[in-house]
C-alpha cells in the first residue's frame, strides 16, 4: 500500500542514519518517505556540459570542470584560517577555498586524482576561485547516472555539514524513488490528465526529481502544481459549502422603512454603479436563508462604509442588530462619528464600544444590547469579548479584515445560535490569485469604481535634498486652504530610533511652519487615545494645517480637505502601505498630491516600489507588483500563510494554473457534490487521507 510505504520513517532509508534523520526532521520537517518525495528541487542545473578553466567567463554562473588538485595548504591568521587548494586542467588553474571544515576536507581530498568540480566562481585579484565547491571523484561521477539536468534541493548549513547539501539530498531521493515504483497512485480524475495531456502522478514525481528532458519536466511540474492547487481549492470549496449552503442563516426578507427612508431622504449622494452591484450581492446572500460570508474589496475611498451601513439598515428592518468592527480605536471612532452623522434624524440607534469606553457606559451598552435598545454597535476588538452579548445579532461587518484572523471571525459565530452574516471589507487590494487561495471560502465582491468627481492623485518621488522645494509646495497648497500630512515610518512601535525620526521631523516642520500662520498636529501610537483623538479632531476641523504622524493614520482616516501626503523615508514602506497612505488624500474634489521622499541610495526593490507608485493609482496593479516583489507569505503576514505553504506551486507565478484548478474543482463539485462518482474515487481517497483529522468528512460523504 502506498500509504504504508510513504509513512515509513525516514531513518529507514538507505544512507540515512539516526543523526541525519534527526537533522532532516528538525531542519526540513522531513519525517517520512512521503515527506522526502514531496521535497521538490527548486531548480535544475545542466550538468551534461563540461567547461575548461580557460573558458570560465562570468563570475555569476555555475560551471563544471574536470581536473586535478595539485596542492593543498592552510593559509591566513590562526583564527581566520582557510584551506586553499590549487585545481588545474590542461588549460589553466583555479583556486578552491574552504573557510570551514578544513580538517575533514583536507583528509578527504587526494592530490593527483581526477575530480569533477562544480560551483560558482568568484573573480578576485585577477584569478578565479571557488568557495566551498562540490567535488566528486571523476570515476564516481561516471558511475552515478546524474548527468544531464540535475535537481537542486533546498538545504541548510547544518545539513550541509552532515554531507546533506543539495547533492547529498539528491542522492537520498535517488535511493528512494525506485522503492516507490508502482505504489504512487493517481489522485486526479483521468479525464483531466487526458484533456491536458499531463503525466500520471507517478511519472510526474519521477520526472520532477530526475528529469529526462526539459519538456517532460515542464509537463510534470505543471501537473504537480495543478494538483497542489486543485486539492486546496476542493477543500476551500467544500468549506465554503459548509459555511454557506449548509449553514442556516438569518433571512432578511424585507427591505423596509429604515432602509427606504434613509435611502430616499438621508443619503447625501447617489450610489456608484459598483456600490449598487455589491449591495445587490449582499441583498441576495442575506435573504437566501443561508449564511453569508462575503468579502468586499474596494480601493481606498471607493465608499465601502456606506455599503456597510445600508446593509446594516436592512438587518434592522428585519429586526436584527449589527456590529461593525474596526482595527483601531481612531478608526472605530471615526466610523461612529460618520455613521452617527448620516443617521441623524432617523430612528436607528448606534453606539460605540472600544477599549477606552468607561465602565459605566460599558455596562449601559451591555444592557442596551441585550434589551434591543441598540441597533448598530461600532467598535474595536472589544466587540468580540464574550461579555458583549446581543439580543439578536444578524450581521457583523469587519472593516480591514487582514488584521482580523480567522479565529477571531469564528468568535462572532458564537454570539448567536444562528451565526450572524459576515461582511468583510478591505481596502487592501488582494491579487485575484491570492484572494482565491486565502479567501477561497468567501464570496468576493469588488467595488471597482470611485465616487464621481475625484481627480487621480498625482504622485512624485523627491530626494531629501529637495526638501525645501517640498516645503514650498506645501505652503502653496496651504495658502489655497488645503491641508497636508507628513508621515514617518514606524516599523515597530517599540523602536525609539523611529520615534527620533518622527520627533526630529516634527521639530523641523515646526521651525519651517511657524505659528501663528501655521498650526501643526502630531499623532503617533505612543500617545494616549484621548490625546490622539484631540489632535485628529483639530486636524479634521481644519484648526491645524499639517498633520505629522506615524502610520496610525494609515487605515480609514477621512479628512477630505487634505490634499498633500508627504511620505518620509518612503523606501522603508511596503507597497500596500504606501498605497494605503496615499489613499488618505484625494478624498475631496481638489487635485491631490503624494510626495515620496527618500535618500539617494535605494535598493532595486525600493526603486520598483517607488516607480510603481508614481506610475499607477490602481490598487490591484500595485498589489500584483507587491506579490511579485515579496511573495505571498510575506504579503499577507505569517498569520495566514499556513494556507500558502505550497510545495511546488507559486502564487506569484502560477496564477493561471490556480484559476484553472479553481474552475476544474468547481466543475467537479457541481457535477458531483460529494465526490461519489467512480471517476472521483481516487481524488476523494487522497483528499480524505490528506485531511485526516482536520475536516469533518461526514459532511461531504
Ligand atoms: P473606503 O472604501 O475607503 O472605506 P469610505 O467609505 O470612507 O471609503 O468613503 C470615502 C468617502 O467617499 C466618504 O467621504 C464617503 O462619504 C464618500 N462617498 C462614498 N460613496 C460615495 C458616492 N457614491 N458618491 C460620493 N461620495 C461618496
Ligand atoms: Mg473604510
Amino acid at each position: 500500500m502506498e500509504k504504508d510505504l510513504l509513512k515509513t520513517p525516514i531513518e529507514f532509508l538507505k544512507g540515512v542514519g539516526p543523526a541525519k534523520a534527526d537533522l532532516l526532521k528538525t531542519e526540513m520537517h522531513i519525517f517520512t518517505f512521503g515527506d522526502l518525495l514531496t521535497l521538490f528541487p527548486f531548480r535544475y542545473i545542466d550538468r551534461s556540459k563540461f567547461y575548461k578553466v580557460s573558458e570560465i567567463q562570468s563570475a555569476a554562473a555555475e560551471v563544471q570542470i574536470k581536473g586535478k588538485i595539485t596542492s593543498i595548504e592552510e593559509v591566513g591568521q590562526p583564527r581566520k584560517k582557510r584551506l586553499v587548494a590549487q585545481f588545474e586542467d590542461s588549460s589553466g588553474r583555479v583556486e578552491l577555498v574552504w573557510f570551514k571544515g578544513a580538517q575533514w576536507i583536507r583528509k578527504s581530498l587526494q592530490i593527483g586524482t581526477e575530480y569533477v568540480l562544480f560551483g560558482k566562481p568568484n573573480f578576485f585579484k585577477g584569478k578565479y576561485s571557488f568557495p566551498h565547491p562540490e567535488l566528486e571523484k571523476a570515476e564516481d561521477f561516471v558511475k552515478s547516472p546524474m548527468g544531464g539536468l540535475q535537481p537542486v534541493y533546498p538545504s541548510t548549513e547544518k545539513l550541509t555539514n552532515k554531507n546533506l547539501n543539495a547533492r547529498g539530498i539528491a542522492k537520498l531521493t535517488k535511493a528512494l524513488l525506485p522503492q516507490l515504483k508502482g505504489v504512487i497512485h493517481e489522485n486526479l480524475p483521468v479525464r483531466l490528465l487526458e484533456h491536458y495531456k499531463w503525466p500520471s502522478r507517478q511519472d510526474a514525481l519521477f520526472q520532477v526529481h530526475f528529469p529526462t528532458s526539459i519538456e517532460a519536466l515542464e509537463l510534470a511540474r505543471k501537473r504537480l502544481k495543478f494538483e497542489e492547487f486543485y486539492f486546496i481549492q476542493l477543500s476551500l470549496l467544500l468549506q465554503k459549502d459548509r459555511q454557506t449552503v449548509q449553514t442556516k442563516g438569518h433571512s432578511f426578507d424585507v427591505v423596509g422603512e429604515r432602509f427606504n427612508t434613509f435611502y430616499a431622504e438621508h443619503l447625501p449622494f447617489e450610489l456608484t454603479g459598483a456600490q449598487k452591484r455589491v449591495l445587490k450581492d449582499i441583498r441576495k446572500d442575506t435573504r437566501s436563508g443561508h449564511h453569508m460570508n462575503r468579502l468586499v474589496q474596494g480601493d481606498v475611498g471607493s465608499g465601502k462604509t456606506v455599503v456597510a451601513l445600508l446593509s446594516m439598515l436592512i438587518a434592522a428592518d428585519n429586526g436584527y442588530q449589527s456590529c461593525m468592527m474596526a482595527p483601531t480605536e481612531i478608526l472605530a471612532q471615526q466610523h461612529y462619528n460618520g455613521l452617527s452623522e448620516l443617521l441623524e434624524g432617523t430612528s436607528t440607534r448606534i453606539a460605540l464600544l472600544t477599549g477606552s469606553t468607561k465602565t459605566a457606559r460599558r455596562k449601559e451598552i451591555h444592557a442596551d444590547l441585550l434589551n434591543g435598545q441598540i441597533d448598530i454597535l461600532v467598535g474595536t476588538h472589544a466587540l468580540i469579548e464574550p461579555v458583549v452579548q446581543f439580543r439578536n445579532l444578524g450581521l457583523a461587518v469587519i472593516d480591514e479584515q487582514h488584521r482580523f484572523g480567522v479565529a477571531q471571525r469564528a468568535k462572532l459565530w458564537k454570539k448567536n445560535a444562528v451565526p450572524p452574516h459576515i461582511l468583510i471589507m478591505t481596502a487592501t487590494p488582494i491579487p485575484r490569485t491570492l484572494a482565491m487561495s486565502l479567501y477561497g471560502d468567501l464570496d468576493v465582491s469588488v467595488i471597482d469604481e470611485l465616487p464621481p468627481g475625484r481627480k487621480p492623485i498625482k504622485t512624485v518621488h523627491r530626494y531629501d535634498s529637495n526638501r525645501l522645494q517640498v516645503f514650498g509646495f506645501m505652503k502653496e497648497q496651504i495658502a489655497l486652504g488645503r491641508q497636508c500630512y507628513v508621515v514617518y515610518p514606524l516599523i515597530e512601535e517599540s523602536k525609539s530610533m523611529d520615534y527620533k525620526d518622527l520627533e526630529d521631523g516634527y521639530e523641523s516642520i515646526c521651525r519651517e511652519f511657524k505659528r501663528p500662520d501655521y498650526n501643526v498636529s502630531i499623532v503617533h501610537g505612543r500617545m494616549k487615545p484621548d490625546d490622539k483623538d484631540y489632535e485628529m479632531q483639530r486636524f479634521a476641523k481644519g484648526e491645524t494645517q499639517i498633520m505629522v504622524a506615524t502610520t496610525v493614520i494609515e487605515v480609514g482616516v477621512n479628512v477630505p480637505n487634505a490634499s498633500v501626503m508627504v511620505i518620509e523615508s518612503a523606501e522603508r514602506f511596503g507597497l500596500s502601505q504606501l498605497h494605503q497612505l496615499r489613499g488618505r488624500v484625494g478624498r475631496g474634489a481638489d487635485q491631490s498630491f503624494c510626495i515620496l521622499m527618500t535618500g539617494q541610495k535605494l535598493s532595486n526593490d525600493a526603486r520598483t516600489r517607488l516607480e510603481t507608485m508614481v506610475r499607477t493609482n490602481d490598487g490591484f496593479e500595485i498589489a500584483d507588483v507587491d506579490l511579485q516583489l515579496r511573495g505571498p507569505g510575506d504579503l499577507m503576514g505569517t498569520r495566514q500563510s499556513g494556507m500558502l505553504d505550497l510545495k511546488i506551486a507559486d502564487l506569484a507565478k502560477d496564477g493561471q494554473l490556480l484559476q484553472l484548478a479553481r474552475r476544474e474543482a468547481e466543475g467537479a463539485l457541481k457535477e458531483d457534490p460529494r465526490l461519489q462518482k467512480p471517476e472521483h474515487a481516487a481524488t476523494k481517497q487522497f483528499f480524505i487521507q490528506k485531511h485526516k483529522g482536520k475536516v469533518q468528512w461526514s459532511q461531504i460523504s
Side-chain angles (χ1 to χ4, degrees), residues 565-585:
M565 167 62 67
V566 179
I567 304 177
E568 293 286 346
S569 305
E571 73 275 16
R572 291 174 62 191
F573 289 93
L575 259 179
S576 74
Q577 238 182 344
L578 289 172
H579 182 61
Q580 289 282 340
L581 285 169
R582 177 167 62 182
R584 297 306 105 216
V585 297

Side-chain angles (χ1 to χ4, degrees), residues 269-272 275 299-305 451 454 558 587:
F269 39 69
E270 174 79 6
L271 291 185
T272 63
Q275 284 171 319
D299 222 332
V300 273
S302 61
K304 295 182 292 294
T305 319
R454 303 266 173 88
N558 191 22
R587 309 195 132 220

Side-chain angles (χ1 to χ4, degrees), residues 125 518 562 594 606 632:
K125 286 192 183 159
Y518 301 98
C594 175

